[in-house]
């Protein structure tokens, strides 16, 4: 063998060895999908309007991501070329059950990430457990501000804004459209979400209109089902406005029982989380109801390539266009994909690297730009929108839509929501 | 004064609903000594059947007033199918076993039926709101109530009266009381205890389903409604004294009025009110308001 051939053989052999050593790992990495535990309501009062739309959206998003059909900047297949696989868990059953289910997901199902939780009580319960398990967990829909205002987490993120902006923007919208309002009553569920929503809304109204009278605060239990006495109390309160953060079957039952009793011919109704019911309750959401979608999502999402994409893939699976829980789940997947691929571009995407990439990240979503700027970079902020219902051809439409930028509706980092509200809601720098 | 009147009316309407959902449970415990946890599922089956059948009826342009008859038929059908299937297919093999075993068996039935509901109807809610507003409304002061509430009140009174009449004035009722008092002796005297149990469970199942059908127009019918209801029904039955019909009626009235008063005067106590009633009653009468005397057997 001549020296020239030897010179060629050495690098060729080295290349062959390198290929043989790395090929199984590459093949293995390509073949093994990233397992994502998806926790959402599949039964119970929140399944129809919230949990099932979120599940349908997650399945459509995963299929679309795996096919590499998501618009820029998300065109890479799966997460950084690795396909995704969903492990779906029912969120029904209460916080204790969810803690056990989270352990199962992590320790038995061996998921790589968890995306989930609609109920605020569930979020508060699972966050410390996710931290203990050291598993990146993305809270995709729950609203209580307490998750990151009362604690600090390394492994837990929330890719949708917390509920303070719903109260702030809702009160601003109300006063812009009905400045003469004098009295306020409320009906909210007696747990974290309902209590926080009411506390924030009354605090904002007290700051913006101190002479306002609070007439009654009804706090039925979650899943009460019967609201006769509450409706009578609200009727007798003669409130100009009734605020409600009811959702799920509770909101549906309340509306079915309150409408024939003419509650809303006397009082203006504001439904903080009413958007998912627009196509479900025609005839039972009166014209003139102020409706929130907990962000510029659902009917409030503005036209963009990403919004068109989500509406298209969702409509292919469901009869309707996506409501706001579907947008919430999209934000979680796209936020995690952004962080994962950023970490991967800088080397191996290990847990610590993904966390570092996720903190203070800004990414695009079907609802617009999402900024991870609260809770030490773990809590998202966005602007939001409100509108008013009107019936068109037997269907409920939303008009008089107004958008509120993030600096007007979100407290800046380092100050608790309620303190920010009481201090006059001074816009922060974002 | 207007508020006090509202408390009474709201309380009585809520009491009527409570009594209707609890009376089947009371009847079955009174006769068979079975704490039937599956009662919640029978309630759910009634609600789903009513929503489906009455929905079909209205959506196909039949006279809307006929929807009430359709709802009643739905309750009867559920009772006639589910009652015998559970009693003949399962419970009759368990008679004579410890009460706790029967509780576990009915809990298993409850879990199976909860999944059956999801399998048959899916997880999306069903609405059948028309019957709630169809009968018009009445005004009391400045408050408006749908007349459907009077249907609830009337149904509760009718069910209570018919059961009381059957138990005290008819031969079959007296046989039932004999079985309640002493199953073995009744059997020895020629009463067909198996048939009494079969009829009682079927009627109880029908009453559970009726609770669901009457509630369906006021709620969105969805998975989980049975679990919510069974807790309330148990509370009423325990406060009244297990198995006592007058006890269940009085307990429903107490809970309804107290809850209504809490909502009107101290809303923050709403969540606690039913447990407050239960705690006070059980402190004073540990076996409930109308606990039955138990004969000591040698």
């Amino acid at each position: 063998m001549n020296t020239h051939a030897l010179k060629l053989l050495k690098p060729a052999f080295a290349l062959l060895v390198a290929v043989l050593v790395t090929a199984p790992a590459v093949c293995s990495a390509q073949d093994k999908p990233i397992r994502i535990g998806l926790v959402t309501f599949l039964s119970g009062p929140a399944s129809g309007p919230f949990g099932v739309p979120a599940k349908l959206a997650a399945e459509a998003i995963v299929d679309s991501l795996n096919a590499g059909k998501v618009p820029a900047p998300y065109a890479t297949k799966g997460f950084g070329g690795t396909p995704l696989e969903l492990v779906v868990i029912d969120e029904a059953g209460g916080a204790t059950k969810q803690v056990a289910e989270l352990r199962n997901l992590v320790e038995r199902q061996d998921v790589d990430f968890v995306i989930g939780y609609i109920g605020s009580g569930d979020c508060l319960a699972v966050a410390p457990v996710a931290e203990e398990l050291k598993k990146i967990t993305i809270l995709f829909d729950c609203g209580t501000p307490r998750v990151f205002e009362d604690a600090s987490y390394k492994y837990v993120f929330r890719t949708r804004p917390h509920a303070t902006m719903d109260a702030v923007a809702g009160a601003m919208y109300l006063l812009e459209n009905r400045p003469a309002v004098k009295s306020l009553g409320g009906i909210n569920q007696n747990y974290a979400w309902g209590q926080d929503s009411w506390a924030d809304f009354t605090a904002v109204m007290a700051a913006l209109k101190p002479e306002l009278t609070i007439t009654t605060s009804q706090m039925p239990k979650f899943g009460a089902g019967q609201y006769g006495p509450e409706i009578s109390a609200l009727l007798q309160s003669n409130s100009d406005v009734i605020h409600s953060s009811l959702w799920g079957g509770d909101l549906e039952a309340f509306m079915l029982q309150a409408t024939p009793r003419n509650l809303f011919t006397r009082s203006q109704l504001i439904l903080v989380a009413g958007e998912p019911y627009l196509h479900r309750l025609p005839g039972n959401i009166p014209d003139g109801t102020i409706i929130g979608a907990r962000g510029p999502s659902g009917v409030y999402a503005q036209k963009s390539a990403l919004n068109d994409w989500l509406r298209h893939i969702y409509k292919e699976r469901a009869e309707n266009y996506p409501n706001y829980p579907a947008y919430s789940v999209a934000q979680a997947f796209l936020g995690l994909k952004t962080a994962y691929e950023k970490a991967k571009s800088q080397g191996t995407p290990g847990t610590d690297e993904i966390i570092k990439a996720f903190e203070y990240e800004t990414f695009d979503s079907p609802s617009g730009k999402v900024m991870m700027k609260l809770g030490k970079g773990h809590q998202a902020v966005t602007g939001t929108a409100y509108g008013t219902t009107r019936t068109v051809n037997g269907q409920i439409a939303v008009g008089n839509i107004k958008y509120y930028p993030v600096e007007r509706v979100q407290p800046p980092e380092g100050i608790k929501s309620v303190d920010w509200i009481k201090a006059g809601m001074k816009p922060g720098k974002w | 004064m207007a508020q006090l009147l509202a408390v009474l009316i709201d309380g009585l309407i809520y009491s009527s609903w409570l009594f209707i959902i609890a009376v089947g449970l009371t009847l079955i415990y009174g006769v068979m000594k079975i704490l039937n946890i599956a009662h919640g599922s029978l309630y759910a089956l009634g609600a789903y059947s009513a929503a489906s059948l009455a929905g079909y009826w209205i959506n196909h342009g039949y006279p809307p007033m006929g929807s009430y008859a359709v709802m009643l038929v739905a309750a009867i059908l559920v009772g006639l199918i589910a009652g015998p299937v559970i009693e003949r297919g399962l419970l009759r093999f368990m008679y004579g076993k410890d009460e706790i075993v029967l509780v576990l068996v009915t809990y298993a039935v409850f879990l199976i039926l909860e999944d059956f509901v999801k399998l048959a109807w899916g997880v999306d809610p069903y609405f059948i709101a028309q019957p709630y507003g169809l009968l018009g409304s009445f005004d009391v002061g400045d408050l408006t109530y749908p007349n459907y509430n009077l249907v609830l009140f009337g149904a509760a009174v009718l069910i209570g009266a018919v059961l009381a009449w059957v138990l005290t004035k008819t031969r079959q009722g007296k046989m039932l009381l004999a079985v309640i008092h002493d199953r073995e002796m009744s059997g020895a005297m020629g009463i067909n205890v198996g048939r009494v149990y079969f009829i009682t469970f079927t009627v109880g199942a029908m009453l559970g389903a009726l609770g669901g059908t009457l509630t369906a127009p006021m709620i969105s019918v969805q998975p989980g409604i049975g679990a919510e209801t069974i807790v309330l029904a148990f509370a009423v039955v325990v406060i009244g004294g297990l198995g006592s019909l007058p006890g269940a009626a009085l307990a429903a009235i107490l809970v309804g009025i107290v809850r209504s008063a809490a909502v009107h005067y101290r809303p923050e106590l709403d969540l606690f009110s039913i447990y407050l009633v239960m705690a006070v009653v059980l402190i004073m009468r540990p076996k409930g308001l109308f606990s039955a005397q138990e004969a000591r057997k040698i």
Side-chain angles (χ1 to χ4, degrees):
Chain A
M1 192 176 285
N2 61 33
T3 52
H4 181 69
L6 270 174
K7 275 182 187 174
L8 278 176
L9 195 60
K10 273 184 181 174
F13 182 72
L15 185 65
L16 182 66
V17 169
V19 167
L20 287 173
V21 167
T22 56
V26 170
C27 288
S28 170
Q30 289 297 325
D31 290 340
K32 189 186 170 197
I34 293 169
R35 283 164 68 80
I36 297 178
L38 179 79
V39 190
T40 179
F41 286 107
L42 303 177
S43 61
S47 61
F50 282 81
V52 173
K55 174 178 171 277
L56 289 173
E59 288 169 347
I61 289 165
V62 164
D63 285 353
S64 190
L65 281 169
N66 286 344
K69 289 182 177 173
V70 187
Y74 302 110
T76 328
K77 287 186 178 181
F79 282 0
T82 310
L84 309 180
E85 181 182 279
L86 282 179
V87 180
V88 184
I89 297 289
D90 189 355
E91 193 182 337
T96 309
K97 178 170 173 257
Q98 288 316 310
V99 167
E101 292 283 13
L102 178 62
R103 289 190 188 280
N104 272 339
L105 268 178
V106 174
E107 292 170 351
R108 293 187 182 173
Q109 302 265 21
D110 197 25
V111 296
D112 298 292
F113 304 100
V114 176
I115 292 177
Y117 307 106
I118 291 170
S120 289
D122 293 335
C123 282
L124 288 169
V126 300
V129 183
E131 197 72 2
E132 178 196 322
L133 295 168
K134 299 186 180 352
K135 184 61 65 179
I136 293 177
T137 298
I138 294 138
L139 311 176
F140 81 90
D141 195 74
C142 55
T144 180
R146 294 188 220 167
V147 178
F148 291 104
E149 287 192 350
D150 292 353
S152 179
Y153 298 108
K154 179 182 175 185
Y155 297 91
V156 181
F157 292 83
R158 178 159 56 182
T159 45
R160 72 127 47 253
H162 63 62
T164 295
M165 70 165 187
D166 306 317
V168 176
M172 287 176 175
Y173 185 91
L174 172 68
L175 293 177
E176 284 161 16
N177 288 281
R178 283 195 64 173
V181 59
K182 288 187 178 129
S183 56
L184 168 70
I187 177 162
N188 297 277
Q189 290 144 320
N190 202 346
Y191 81 110
W193 161 252
Q195 290 162 355
D196 291 349
S197 293
W198 177 245
D200 280 356
F201 194 79
T202 47
V204 178
M205 290 300 276
L208 296 178
K209 199 169 174 74
E211 66 274 23
L212 187 89
T213 308
I214 306 295
T215 54
T216 182
S217 166
Q218 295 298 325
M219 286 271 169
K221 80 178 185 79
F222 186 85
Q226 298 289 328
Y227 300 97
E230 284 87 350
I231 293 166
S232 293
L234 288 166
L235 277 164
Q236 290 190 321
S237 73
N238 280 319
S239 309
D240 292 337
V241 176
I242 292 169
H243 164 276
S244 182
S245 62
L246 290 181
W247 61 287
D250 287 352
L251 177 61
E252 289 166 341
F254 173 68
M255 296 304 291
L256 292 175
Q257 291 166 38
T259 304
R261 297 188 64 183
N262 302 324
L263 177 59
F264 309 124
T265 56
R266 298 189 196 180
S267 305
Q268 162 82 57
L269 176 65
I270 175 166
L271 296 176
V272 170
E275 189 267 347
Y277 304 90
L278 292 176
H279 69 275
R280 298 167 66 84
L281 290 172
N284 285 288
I285 293 184
D287 285 2
T289 301
I290 296 172
I291 291 277
R294 308 212 50 242
S297 306
V299 293
Y300 301 127
Q302 293 178 310
K303 184 162 178 60
S304 69
L306 279 172
N307 189 22
D308 290 345
W309 159 75
L310 182 63
R311 285 169 64 84
H312 173 70
I313 61 169
Y314 187 90
K315 187 79 166 59
E316 280 190 332
R317 284 183 180 250
E319 290 174 6
N320 297 297
Y321 285 109
N323 59 12
Y324 87 68
Y327 283 76
S328 300
V329 92
Q331 283 176 210
F333 274 92
L334 298 181
L336 180 58
K337 178 179 169 71
T338 304
Y340 183 94
E341 291 177 356
K342 186 176 170 187
K344 191 175 182 185
S345 72
Q346 293 164 357
T348 312
T351 300
D352 285 344
E353 289 77 16
I354 295 168
I355 289 169
K356 198 176 166 194
F358 215 159
E359 288 172 344
Y360 298 101
E361 181 60 84
T362 294
F363 59 94
D364 289 324
S365 81
S367 319
K369 187 192 287 185
V370 180
M371 299 182 288
M372 304 296 295
K373 288 203 172 182
L374 290 181
K376 297 176 184 166
H378 288 241
Q379 166 66 59
V381 293
T382 68
T384 191
Y386 268 88
T388 308
T389 58
R390 58 192 165 84
T391 306
V392 181
N393 298 326
Q395 297 298 310
I396 304 171
V398 177
N400 189 25
I401 298 170
K402 179 145 189 195
Y403 291 88
Y404 295 86
V406 61
E407 61 270 18
R408 287 194 69 195
V409 296
Q410 285 285 0
E413 179 79 307
I415 180 168
K416 280 194 172 188
S417 297
V418 85
D419 296 332
W420 178 70
I421 292 167
K422 284 177 181 168
M425 293 171 282
K426 191 178 169 190
K429 288 182 182 174
W430 296 92
Chain B
M1 189 61 195
Q3 197 168 21
L4 190 61
L5 196 59
V7 168
L8 284 174
I9 294 170
D10 290 330
L12 282 177
I13 293 168
Y14 191 69
S15 305
S16 306
W17 177 73
L18 279 177
F19 180 72
I20 292 168
I21 63 167
V23 69
L25 193 65
T26 297
L27 181 70
I28 289 171
Y29 185 83
V31 177
M32 305 168 73
K33 297 290 176 284
I34 296 173
L35 266 175
N36 180 26
I37 295 179
H39 193 73
S41 300
L42 295 166
Y43 167 91
L45 284 172
Y48 270 103
S49 304
S52 302
L53 293 178
Y56 179 88
W57 178 270
I58 289 169
N59 292 338
H60 282 72
Y62 297 116
M65 280 294 180
S67 59
Y68 299 105
V70 173
M71 287 162 57
L72 193 61
V73 169
I76 292 169
L77 279 178
V78 170
L80 287 179
I81 297 168
V85 167
I86 297 171
E87 202 277 336
R88 289 289 94 182
L90 190 63
L91 293 181
R92 74 184 171 110
F93 301 110
M94 306 289 166
Y95 298 145
K97 292 193 191 303
D98 198 85
E99 280 183 29
I100 196 72
V101 173
L102 285 158
V103 170
L104 290 173
V105 168
T106 60
Y107 180 57
V109 175
F110 169 79
L111 293 176
I112 292 166
L113 288 179
E114 286 291 289
D115 278 345
F116 170 77
V117 162
K118 284 187 220 167
L119 197 68
W121 282 280
V123 295
D124 259 350
Y126 284 69
F127 298 101
I128 176 65
Q130 289 92 330
Y132 189 54
L134 207 58
L135 297 173
S137 57
F138 65 96
D139 291 339
V140 178
D142 57 349
L143 297 178
T144 301
Y145 291 93
N147 286 334
Y148 189 83
N149 290 317
L150 298 176
V151 173
L152 277 185
F153 183 73
V157 171
L158 188 67
I159 291 167
V162 167
L163 282 178
W165 177 75
V166 168
L167 284 173
T168 55
K169 303 289 181 191
T170 66
R171 186 168 174 271
Q172 285 75 14
K174 285 170 185 167
M175 283 163 59
L176 203 67
L177 289 175
V179 173
I180 293 171
H181 191 68
D182 194 322
R183 181 191 167 191
E184 288 168 0
M185 189 59 74
S186 305
M189 298 293 286
I191 295 174
N192 187 339
V193 176
R195 191 197 294 165
V196 168
Y197 277 19
F198 171 75
I199 293 169
T200 302
F201 195 85
T202 303
V203 171
M206 218 177 279
L207 289 171
L210 184 65
T213 58
L214 288 173
T215 311
M218 299 189 288
I219 59 170
S220 63
V221 180
Q222 53 202 311
I225 56 171
E228 293 291 338
T229 310
I230 193 68
V231 176
L232 276 174
F234 264 125
V236 169
V237 171
V238 168
I239 293 168
L242 287 167
S244 165
L245 201 63
L250 187 60
I253 291 170
L254 258 179
V255 170
I257 299 286
V258 169
R259 177 174 181 262
S260 177
V263 167
H264 279 272
Y265 295 111
R266 297 295 297 269
E268 65 275 17
L269 293 180
D270 171 22
L271 197 64
F272 178 58
S273 59
I274 186 166
Y275 304 106
L276 179 71
V277 175
M278 196 188 279
V280 170
V281 168
L282 294 185
I283 286 169
M284 293 195 298
R285 293 183 66 85
K287 290 194 170 180
L289 291 170
F290 285 71
S291 52
Q293 292 288 328
E294 284 179 26
R296 190 165 62 87
K297 289 184 181 179
I298 300 168

